[in-house]
Every structure is written in C-alpha cells, then in structure tokens.
Amino acid sequence: MKKNENSTLTLKSLNKGNVWDIQENDVFRLITSAKKDAELKENINHYIDIIKTAFTIEEVLIDRKEVIKKYEDRGFKVNSVTIEDSKKKWAVKKKPISRITDLTYENIRHISASKLIEVLDRNFGGGWDSISQSIKDIIESGFDISTTTLPKERLRKKGGMYEKKLEDGFEVLEIEKGSWVEAIFAKQKPKPSIEQAIIEKYEHKSSDDEDEIELDDDNEFDDEDEFDEEKLLEESYRTTFETNPEDLGLEATNVEDEYDD
C-alpha cells in the first residue's frame, strides 16, 4: 500500500472503489478510528458493508491461540475491534481476484495489467471471444484490450503488432490454438479525474436503472392511442358549424324567395 495515498484514508472517504486499495491492517485502523467520532459510530454498519465488498470478515468466537493460528494459516489477519461499545475479535482477509467472475467495475481499476493477464490465463479456454459481454465491458472499462490470431511462426514477426504492443507497454497473453496463437494485449487505462469518475459512475448507474423503469398505468399506451394522422386532417379541415345562424348575428335567408321573381 502506498503510504502517502491510503494512510490518511478515513471511513468518511471510503467507498466501494478505493476500499480495494487498502489492506487488512488498514481495516482495523479505520474501525478503531470510529470510536472517536459519534457520527461514525452511529453509521458503523454502513462502513462495514463497504469494507465487506473487498474483504471477508469473520468474528473469532473462541479466542484461543490454536484457533487464531488456523485463521492466520488461511491468510487472515486477526485483531480486536470495538463495535457499538462491544469489544470483538475479527479475522479479516482481502477477497482474492483470481477468476474473471471476481472482476467488478469497482475493483477493475485497482489491479495491474499483469494481474489481469494472470486472471485471464487462469480462466481461459476459448480465447477472448469466450468471455461474456458483461465481463468484457468491465475489463475494457479499466484496460485497453486488443487481440490478434496468427500462425505461430508469424506472431512475433519483427516490426509486427506483437513487438509494437510490447514497446507500447502492453502485457500479453498467448493462447495456443493448434498451429495458430491468439495474442491478447492489455494495458491499464489512465485513472480518470474525479469529475470523469463521477460521470462514469452516474452513467453506469443510469444504464442499470433503465432495465428497472416501468411505466405506471397513467403513462402506458397501446396501439389504440397512437397518433392518427387521418383523424387530425379531418378535424383540421372541417368547415361546417353546428350552430344557430341567429347566434352569429345572421338572418336566415330563404333561397327560394330570392328566385320567385
């Protein structure tokens, strides 16, 4: 962990994105800091929920050396915390990102290109096209991805795409397909500015909400309510009036009388 970035991180500034930047010891530090702030103590469960998106937290119910040793052997850090004025012992472990299904919009910008290649290598079989579109979207939100499939002898041809990508800082995964090789190149995108991050978060949330929007009964319409152009023309060009001529200040004229002469 970079000391100058996360040593000053507080619970109030913690979110589902930057929580992936901290480590187990930081979790204990942040929870301990809540004891000094009444507002934090009141909302501690909210912050714990955020922490749980990136960490597995288990309460150690039997505080004995052999029990703690078993947790530590599994990669957990064990320490005491005070939650709602109750002292407890927690075992905390950062969730691994080892499969492509572990990737999320929150953590994708918090792993390196080499880590991504490692994850892809562990999960691959059919190549880039074998990944679902939803996972591709997550990956491409944090990385520039390009692929090529060539015969083995042509893949690393001098001056070719393979060489140029490596010179440009891309990591590469090679997947053999008989006498051909698919090369998948990945390079981490620059982290967006705060303003851009807010926009991306809003757009992602909006796209999720679109699937949930339902029209209520007052807003629903069917084919019977569709625009009727013929009806509009008929109404627009109607020139007859159903009224009494006397109401318009006109005298009724007997047409037959005018021609009797």
Side-chain angles (χ1 to χ4, degrees):
M1 183 185 70
K2 294 181 181 178
K3 195 171 183 179
N4 61 344
E5 284 186 12
N6 298 316
S7 59
T8 57
L9 187 67
T10 67
L11 280 180
K12 288 183 179 179
S13 60
L14 196 67
N15 58 54
K16 292 182 179 180
N18 62 25
V19 71
W20 287 93
D21 284 332
I22 68 174
Q23 305 302 324
E24 290 85 354
N25 289 335
D26 296 303
V27 172
F28 293 113
R29 175 179 62 82
L30 293 173
I31 294 297
T32 299
S33 69
K35 294 191 296 183
K36 305 173 185 177
D37 190 314
E39 181 184 346
L40 292 177
K41 285 177 66 176
E42 184 178 346
N43 296 287
I44 191 64
N45 289 326
H46 164 70
Y47 298 113
I48 291 174
D49 287 341
I50 292 177
I51 292 171
K52 283 183 176 179
T53 63
F55 293 85
T56 299
I57 298 176
E58 295 184 15
E59 185 176 356
V60 180
L61 300 176
I62 302 175
D63 190 1
R64 286 165 36 182
K65 287 183 179 180
E66 58 269 28
V67 174
I68 294 174
K69 180 68 165 56
K70 288 182 178 180
Y71 276 108
E72 290 175 342
D73 290 343
R74 293 165 53 200
F76 283 82
K77 298 285 186 181
V78 180
N79 211 331
S80 298
V81 294
T82 300
I83 307 294
E84 298 176 342
D85 298 324
S86 176
K87 192 171 184 179
K88 302 177 181 181
K89 185 152 285 190
W90 273 5
V92 177
K93 180 182 178 182
K94 195 166 189 178
K95 292 180 179 179
I97 302 175
S98 56
R99 300 170 298 177
I100 56 174
T101 50
D102 294 330
L103 298 172
T104 67
Y105 282 104
E106 287 76 22
N107 66 29
I108 192 63
R109 288 189 176 273
H110 300 274
I111 63 172
S112 64
S114 59
K115 176 63 177 180
L116 175 64
I117 292 298
E118 176 189 321
V119 171
L120 295 179
D121 189 26
R122 188 178 295 117
N123 289 273
F124 259 37
W128 179 251
D129 288 339
S130 69
I131 299 179
S132 68
Q133 188 59 51
S134 60
I135 298 295
K136 284 182 182 178
D137 290 343
I138 290 173
I139 293 172
E140 291 178 329
S141 71
F143 292 86
D144 287 321
I145 300 291
S146 57
T147 67
T148 185
T149 302
L150 293 169
K152 289 182 182 180
E153 63 275 10
R154 289 182 52 198
L155 179 63
R156 304 193 184 199
K157 183 179 178 181
K158 188 172 179 59
M161 179 181 181
Y162 191 101
E163 184 179 284
K164 291 178 180 178
K165 287 292 184 182
L166 292 186
E167 290 175 352
D168 198 25
F170 281 78
E171 296 285 340
V172 61
L173 172 64
E174 297 179 28
I175 303 172
E176 291 194 10
K177 297 181 175 181
S179 60
W180 291 63
V181 176
E182 178 178 0
I184 301 163
F185 303 94
K187 182 180 179 181
Q188 194 170 35
K189 290 180 177 178
K191 289 190 176 182
S193 63
I194 294 176
E195 293 81 1
Q196 184 61 31
I198 293 173
I199 292 172
E200 288 182 3
K201 183 176 181 180
Y202 174 78
E203 290 177 343
H204 174 53
K205 184 177 186 341
S206 298
S207 64
D208 289 343
D209 291 343
E210 284 177 1
D211 295 333
E212 300 175 5
I213 296 175
E214 293 183 3
L215 294 173
D216 56 33
D217 292 339
D218 294 335
N219 291 328
E220 289 182 348
F221 63 89
D222 51 30
D223 293 340
E224 294 179 359
D225 297 320
E226 290 182 354
F227 180 76
D228 189 335
E229 184 176 357
E230 291 184 1
K231 184 177 180 180
L232 176 63
L233 291 172
E234 179 184 339
E235 294 292 335
S236 299
Y237 289 91
R238 181 179 294 170
T239 56
T240 58
F241 296 90
E242 296 178 1
T243 185
N244 190 332
E246 294 180 359
D247 294 338
L248 301 176
L250 302 174
E251 291 186 3
T253 302
N254 190 324
V255 177
E256 293 180 358
D257 292 343
E258 289 182 6
Y259 291 94
D260 281 344
D261 298 337

